[in-house]
Amino acid sequence: VKEEINPAYYIAWQNGYFAFDNERLEDILSVLARWYNFEVLYARPEIRDIHFTASLWKDQPLEHILKQFEKTQSISFQISGNQVIIH
């Protein structure tokens, strides 16, 4: 099966940024949790399935990155130690 792809999503890490194309929030936060070393807690299970497309620089503070997600959906993040709680 041949499929046309955007290579930017596959080489983003080499260029210093994260790139996500219509990915679930749970999958995105899994990548970010490894990079920023935090644990994710969800206030409601359905939040996990919200989809995002985003390009984010890896050298940005975690708080800045999470604010970008808050601007596009009705979710909020609370940082407590090494835990991020999503409401």
Side-chain angles (χ1 to χ4, degrees):
V1 175
K2 289 186 178 183
E3 185 177 323
E4 193 170 316
I5 62 163
N6 183 347
Y9 291 104
Y10 297 95
I11 62 169
W13 63 273
Q14 293 175 322
N15 296 324
Y17 66 96
F18 301 105
F20 306 103
D21 183 24
N22 195 31
E23 292 192 42
R24 294 174 59 236
L25 182 60
E26 181 175 34
D27 298 329
I28 293 170
L29 290 178
S30 176
V31 170
L32 295 177
R34 283 193 304 274
W35 184 259
Y36 289 97
N37 192 30
F38 65 87
E39 177 185 2
V40 182
L41 302 172
Y42 296 90
R44 298 182 327 267
E46 64 272 12
I47 295 172
R48 297 170 189 259
D49 292 323
I50 298 172
H51 284 73
F52 288 93
T53 297
S55 294
L56 308 161
W57 290 106
K58 289 182 173 183
D59 63 354
Q60 294 294 315
L62 176 61
E63 295 82 3
H64 176 78
I65 289 177
L66 297 179
K67 289 285 182 199
Q68 302 306 310
F69 290 107
E70 288 179 340
K71 289 179 181 179
T72 61
Q73 291 286 335
S74 58
I75 58 175
S76 64
F77 296 89
Q78 175 187 353
I79 300 174
S80 177
N82 75 329
Q83 294 183 330
V84 173
I85 304 162
I86 301 106
H87 301 275

